[in-house]
């Protein structure tokens, strides 16, 4: 029997007695009062449930009830964005606290774009992914974690950071490597990763192919040139980090293709790097996306979307630019500091000119496609 039913029964029983006995003593009156009070409390507690009718902003509201619960967001990104995000996250957290009275903290994971993509698909519960190429984001979309149309939800088709390819050479540049064409010479050894396993290496391959197309060559000439270049690659490493180690730590090769931003960051850390940015180049575009399935499960959509939008602001873009990324915000790009730091590339190709990443993957990197054909020819 529920509490209010028990109290009501006692009340009815007492009321029956009171009709037979006169309340001629203080004791009887007090007993009647206490039973009535008990009934009021019981009914109020039962009818109120777990809700409160007191408005959150009213003077009688609990201070705890007025404060939003703290929130944690998981950001999964490719390795070379770490320095930028470490500078941006505290700025966003302060801004979010002022606007929403909510504390936000970030769990971060940095690594190769391909491995990060696989981890998210396999269960790493990222709220936000910032990856090296849209192909990786599309794979997460195809796994059912990101809703189609993600690239249209924020500015610049969701490209939040970008770079170009650079040619790193030995000190003094003894092989006189100045542009892409020099990589096809017989006496030049190039270090690069395998485009079948590395996102960065796909950009490298496109940069080589694009260098022919942008200077008036046709597909046949591009195929011939890129075949010569990969004949000069003594070892295809698994990812960009291994390629960098092979060049710098193991002393292999005469040249290394790398992101301009990673080279600039290395210089800021005191490393001496000789490099050239070819005037014919490829725009290395890195997208950002909210992982819809995860933010809805975590209840973090609002703050995750706010962070993604914040990354496009001049304040955030300045932080990207400081550590080597070319800013996507034109007001930042046109400041003297960054215009001098990032000289304009006159012939800049894009993935869109090749039909987008689905077309690029199918044409160049699927099993049996152009890259496999090149490798087969070079191994004869």
């Amino acid at each position: 029997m529920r509490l209010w039913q028990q109290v009501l029964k006692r009340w009815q029983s007492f009321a029956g007695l009171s009709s037979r006995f006169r309340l001629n003593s203080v004791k009887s009156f007090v007993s009647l009062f206490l039973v009535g009070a008990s009934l009021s409390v019981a009914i109020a507690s039962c009818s109120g449930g777990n809700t409160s009718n007191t408005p959150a902003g009213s003077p009688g509201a609990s201070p705890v009830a007025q404060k939003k619960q703290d929130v944690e967001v998981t950001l999964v990104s490719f390795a070379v964005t770490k320095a930028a995000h470490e500078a941006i996250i505290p700025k966003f957290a302060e801004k979010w606290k002022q606007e929403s009275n909510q504390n936000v903290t970030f769990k971060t994971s940095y690594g190769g774009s391909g491995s990060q993509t696989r981890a998210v698909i396999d269960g790493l519960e990222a709220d936000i992914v910032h990856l090296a190429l849209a192909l990786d984001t599309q794979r997460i979309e195809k796994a059912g974690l990101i809703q189609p149309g993600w690239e249209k939800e924020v500015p610049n088709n969701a490209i939040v950071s970008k770079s170009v390819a650079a040619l790193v050479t030995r000190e003094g540049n003894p092989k006189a490597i100045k542009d892409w064409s020099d990589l096809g010479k017989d006496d030049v050894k190039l270090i690069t990763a395998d485009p079948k396993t590395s996102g960065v290496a796909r950009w490298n391959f496109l940069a080589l192919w694009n260098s022919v197309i942008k200077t008036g060559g046709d597909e046949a000439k591009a195929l011939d040139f890129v075949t010569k270049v990969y004949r000069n690659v003594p070892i295809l490493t698994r990812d960009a980090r291994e390629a960098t180690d092979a060049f710098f730590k193991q002393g292999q090769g005469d040249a290394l293709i790398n992101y301009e931003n990673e080279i600039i960051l290395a210089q800021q850390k005191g490393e001496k790097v000789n490099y050239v940015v070819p005037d014919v180049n490829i725009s290395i575009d890195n997208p950002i996306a909210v992982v819809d399935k995860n933010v809805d499960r975590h209840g973090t959509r609002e703050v995750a979307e706010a962070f993604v939008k914040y990354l496009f602001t001049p304040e955030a873009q300045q932080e990207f630019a400081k550590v080597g990324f070319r800013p996507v915000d034109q007001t930042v790009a046109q400041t003297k500091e960054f215009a001098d730091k990032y000289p304009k590339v006159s012939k800049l190709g894009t993935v869109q000119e090749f039909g987008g990443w689905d077309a690029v993957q199918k044409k160049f990197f699927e099993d049996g496609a152009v890259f496999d054909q090149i490798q087969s020819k070079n191994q004869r």
Side-chain angles (χ1 to χ4, degrees):
M1 184 179 292
R2 295 180 180 176
L3 176 61
W4 70 269
Q5 292 173 319
Q6 296 173 358
V7 176
L8 181 59
K9 187 173 181 180
R10 290 171 59 194
W11 170 261
Q12 290 171 335
S13 176
F14 192 87
L17 288 172
S18 66
S19 65
R20 288 178 284 167
F21 299 98
R22 297 182 63 183
L23 300 178
N24 53 10
S25 70
V26 175
K27 181 178 181 181
S28 298
F29 177 80
V30 171
S31 298
L32 180 61
F33 175 82
L34 291 175
V35 172
S38 299
L39 177 61
S40 299
V41 171
I43 293 175
S45 63
C46 292
S47 62
N50 292 321
T51 62
S52 171
N53 294 324
T54 306
S58 68
S62 166
V64 176
Q66 292 186 54
K67 181 181 179 181
K68 290 185 179 180
Q69 185 177 2
D70 293 349
V71 63
E72 182 178 75
V73 175
T74 299
L75 168 67
V76 173
S77 190
F78 64 110
V80 295
T81 64
K82 183 178 180 180
H85 284 304
E86 285 182 341
I88 292 169
I89 285 173
K91 293 178 181 291
F92 171 77
E94 181 180 358
K95 183 174 183 293
W96 184 254
K97 174 68 173 179
Q98 292 173 351
E99 293 178 353
S100 68
N101 193 35
Q102 184 180 47
N103 295 312
V104 57
T105 56
F106 280 76
K107 286 178 62 178
T108 55
S109 173
Y110 301 98
S113 187
S115 61
Q116 294 290 71
T117 299
R118 290 189 294 272
V120 172
I121 293 172
D122 291 342
L124 176 57
E125 295 204 356
D127 295 299
I128 302 164
V129 287
H130 182 188
L131 301 171
L133 62 167
L135 181 65
D136 287 340
T137 314
Q138 290 165 3
R139 285 175 172 164
I140 299 175
E141 175 190 335
K142 290 175 181 177
L145 298 175
I146 297 177
Q147 292 298 315
W150 54 270
E151 64 271 33
K152 301 300 182 184
E153 294 178 358
V154 289
N156 202 40
N157 288 321
I159 303 304
V160 74
S161 60
K162 65 179 181 179
S163 190
V164 293
L167 301 179
V168 183
T169 65
R170 295 297 175 191
E171 186 174 358
N173 194 9
K175 295 294 179 72
I177 298 168
K178 297 179 180 179
D179 58 30
W180 301 107
S181 62
D182 294 323
L183 300 179
K185 295 177 180 178
D186 292 339
D187 64 338
V188 171
K189 296 300 180 185
L190 172 68
I191 300 299
T192 183
D194 188 343
K196 300 277 284 189
T197 59
S198 166
V200 173
R202 289 187 180 94
W203 285 116
N204 295 350
F205 182 98
L206 283 182
L208 291 164
W209 192 277
N210 177 75
S211 71
V212 176
I213 301 300
K214 280 290 184 183
T215 52
D218 57 15
E219 295 269 308
K221 289 184 178 179
L223 178 61
D224 181 62
F225 171 67
V226 175
T227 300
K228 287 181 180 178
V229 172
Y230 278 93
R231 191 179 299 147
N232 290 341
V233 177
I235 181 174
L236 284 170
T237 63
R238 182 180 57 184
D239 55 37
R241 180 56 58 197
E242 287 186 4
T244 300
D245 288 345
F247 183 79
F248 286 106
K249 295 182 180 180
Q250 300 169 22
Q252 297 189 50
D254 304 300
L256 168 75
I257 307 178
N258 207 339
Y259 286 166
E260 177 191 44
N261 63 277
E262 189 160 13
I263 296 169
I264 290 174
L265 185 61
Q267 289 180 324
Q268 290 175 350
K269 293 180 178 178
E271 298 179 25
K272 186 177 181 180
V273 185
N274 299 278
Y275 75 101
V276 59
V277 175
D279 203 36
V280 180
N281 221 303
I282 191 81
S283 181
I284 299 173
D285 300 333
N286 320 129
I288 190 91
V290 169
V291 185
D292 295 289
K293 189 172 182 179
N294 290 343
V295 295
D296 288 340
R297 182 166 58 247
H298 302 158
T300 54
R301 177 176 289 279
E302 183 182 9
V303 64
E305 289 181 345
F307 179 72
V308 168
K309 291 178 181 177
Y310 178 75
L311 293 181
F312 290 90
T313 65
E315 184 179 26
Q317 283 296 308
Q318 286 175 5
E319 297 302 330
F320 278 116
K322 288 176 183 177
V323 295
F325 290 96
R326 294 188 170 222
V328 301
D329 183 279
Q330 288 306 303
T331 61
V332 176
Q334 292 170 7
T335 61
K336 187 177 188 310
E337 176 187 1
F338 298 123
D340 292 344
K341 188 173 184 177
Y342 303 109
K344 187 176 180 180
V345 175
S346 64
K347 296 180 180 179
L348 191 65
T350 67
V351 170
Q352 286 69 35
E353 292 173 353
F354 290 92
W357 273 111
D358 283 340
V360 167
Q361 178 69 17
K362 184 177 181 180
K363 178 177 180 177
F364 295 112
F365 306 123
E366 293 288 356
D367 292 343
V370 171
F371 181 73
D372 280 353
Q373 295 167 21
I374 288 173
Q375 289 299 93
S376 178
K377 184 177 180 179
N378 284 337
Q379 291 170 4
R380 290 173 189 170

